[in-house]
DNA sequence: AGCCAGGCCTGCC
DNA sequence: GGCAGGCATGGC
């Protein structure tokens, strides 16, 4: 049977998680460009490995689109290596940097100078920038009102709803889940920022392969937690 | 030892 | 327009 998911319930999730975790203060990074670099490097990669790569770039003063553009591919590959997929990611970073310099004066913040949908499309035209990476750059780098969808978001929702998805949302369909959640939440940039970040914190603590629902802050309203609770009684 | 981690591109069909 | 296969490191 289909379990509904309404605005009120989603706001409750946010409220509970915010009380539990506080303001996540995302995304880690000293500058918007560093946030964007992290978004590219973390593709299918643990954050620990990304930090090593960012550290390497910082040591060479390369957290700057102008500097990355003028760096040799060999050097970039060497520095990005700890983040994995280094042959691709080094190219992605350079393509993104060139795009940013050419189109937005090298400033991630300037993505907000054009209509949001337009900025997203332009980002998606860059090789190596897919939907999640584009939205991460827009939300966490440029502080624009976009909700990031990632594997944590899917896993949370799957568990929370007990294996089903809302009407119109199909598993793996990024745009459908994003428009569903943003339509329900109708939040501002800060709200979307926090909502996604809080879901990641929750998922890392509780929504793993072998879920640890006790003491999950959502156990009272999550269908998976309720089932687990019932089983133990 | 093998699986996993905040994807994305390419080449098939 | 969906779907496998490839990409690669470091931690557990």
């Amino acid at each position: 049977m289909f379990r509904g998911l309404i605005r009120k319930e989603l706001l409750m999730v946010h409220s509970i998680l915010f009380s539990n975790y506080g303001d996540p203060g995302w995304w880690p990074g000293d500058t918007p460009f560093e946030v964007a670099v992290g978004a590219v490097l973390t593709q299918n990669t643990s954050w620990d490995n990304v930090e090593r790569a960012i550290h390497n770039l910082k040591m060479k003063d390369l957290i700057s689109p102008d500097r990355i553009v003028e760096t040799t591919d060999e050097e970039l590959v060497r520095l990005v290596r700890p983040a994995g997929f280094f042959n691709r990611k080094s190219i992605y970073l350079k393509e993104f940097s060139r795009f940013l310099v050419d189109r937005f004066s090298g400033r991630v913040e300037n993505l907000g100078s054009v209509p949001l949908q337009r900025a997203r499309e332009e980002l998606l035209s860059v090789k190596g920038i897919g939907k999640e990476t584009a939205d991460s750059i827009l939300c966490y780098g440029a502080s624009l009102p976009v909700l990031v969808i990632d594997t944590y978001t899917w896993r949370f929702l799957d568990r929370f709803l007990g294996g089903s998805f809302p009407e119109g949302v199909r598993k793996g369909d990024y745009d459908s889940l994003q428009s569903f959640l943003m339509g329900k939440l109708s939040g501002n940039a800060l709200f979307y920022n926090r909502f996604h970040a809080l879901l990641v914190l929750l998922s890392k603590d509780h929504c793993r392969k072998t879920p640890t629902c006790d003491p999950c802050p959502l156990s009272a309203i999550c269908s998976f937690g309720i089932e687990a609770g019932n089983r133990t009684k």
Side-chain angles (χ1 to χ4, degrees):
Chain A
M1 177 178 131
F2 173 69
R3 183 170 181 278
L5 183 61
I6 56 176
R7 172 181 166 81
K8 193 171 124 183
E9 198 172 6
L10 287 169
L11 293 180
M12 189 180 307
V13 167
H14 173 270
S15 147
I16 292 173
L17 294 180
F18 190 76
S19 316
N20 198 267
Y21 291 106
D23 185 353
W26 266 25
W27 178 309
D30 297 336
T31 65
F33 184 71
E34 184 180 332
V35 170
V37 168
V40 171
L41 293 182
T42 198
Q43 291 170 5
N44 205 41
T45 301
S46 63
W47 185 251
D48 284 344
N49 288 2
V50 175
E51 284 186 322
R52 300 166 197 270
I54 289 182
H55 174 77
N56 290 343
L57 292 169
K58 277 186 175 173
M59 291 301 96
K60 297 284 185 177
D61 194 27
L62 284 180
I63 306 294
S64 141
D66 303 281
R67 298 271 290 114
I68 285 185
V69 164
E70 60 193 23
T71 302
T72 66
D73 294 346
E74 296 73 29
E75 174 78 342
L76 222 42
V77 165
R78 190 175 67 78
L79 299 171
V80 164
R81 178 172 292 273
F85 305 115
F86 43 79
N87 285 314
R88 288 168 177 255
K89 286 176 177 174
S90 56
I91 292 173
Y92 294 169
L93 282 186
K94 189 169 268 191
E95 298 252 333
F96 172 66
S97 298
R98 197 181 307 280
F99 158 80
L100 207 58
V101 169
D102 290 348
R103 187 65 188 82
F104 291 96
S105 310
R107 310 194 95 242
V108 171
E109 305 92 305
N110 287 354
L111 285 162
S113 66
V114 300
L116 180 52
Q117 204 46 236
R118 171 69 183 278
R120 188 172 193 258
E121 285 167 9
E122 290 200 37
L123 279 173
L124 290 174
S125 74
V126 179
K127 181 180 295 193
I129 311 273
K131 289 170 183 176
E132 183 187 329
T133 307
D135 289 340
S136 298
I137 293 170
L138 291 168
C139 176
Y140 294 106
S143 302
L144 295 171
V146 176
L147 178 66
V148 175
I149 305 297
D150 58 12
T151 56
Y152 291 133
T153 317
W154 286 107
R155 198 152 61 206
F156 156 75
L157 201 63
D158 190 43
R159 294 265 166 73
F160 189 76
L161 297 177
S164 68
F165 290 105
E167 184 72 28
V169 177
R170 263 188 291 161
K171 193 183 179 89
D173 183 349
Y174 190 104
D175 291 334
S176 73
L177 179 55
Q178 184 183 47
S179 53
F180 173 83
L181 289 177
M182 289 182 68
K184 291 285 183 191
L185 293 167
S186 61
N188 55 27
L190 181 58
F191 184 88
Y192 290 138
N193 175 321
R194 282 183 181 160
F195 189 81
H196 168 255
L198 288 167
L199 284 189
V200 174
L201 296 181
L202 172 80
S203 295
K204 287 191 170 179
D205 283 349
H206 300 287
C207 305
R208 300 248 170 212
K209 287 234 167 192
T210 54
T212 51
C213 295
D214 183 27
C216 173
L218 295 183
S219 56
I221 58 175
C222 173
S223 68
F224 194 97
I226 289 170
E227 285 172 25
N230 287 342
R231 274 201 300 273
T232 61
K233 284 188 175 172

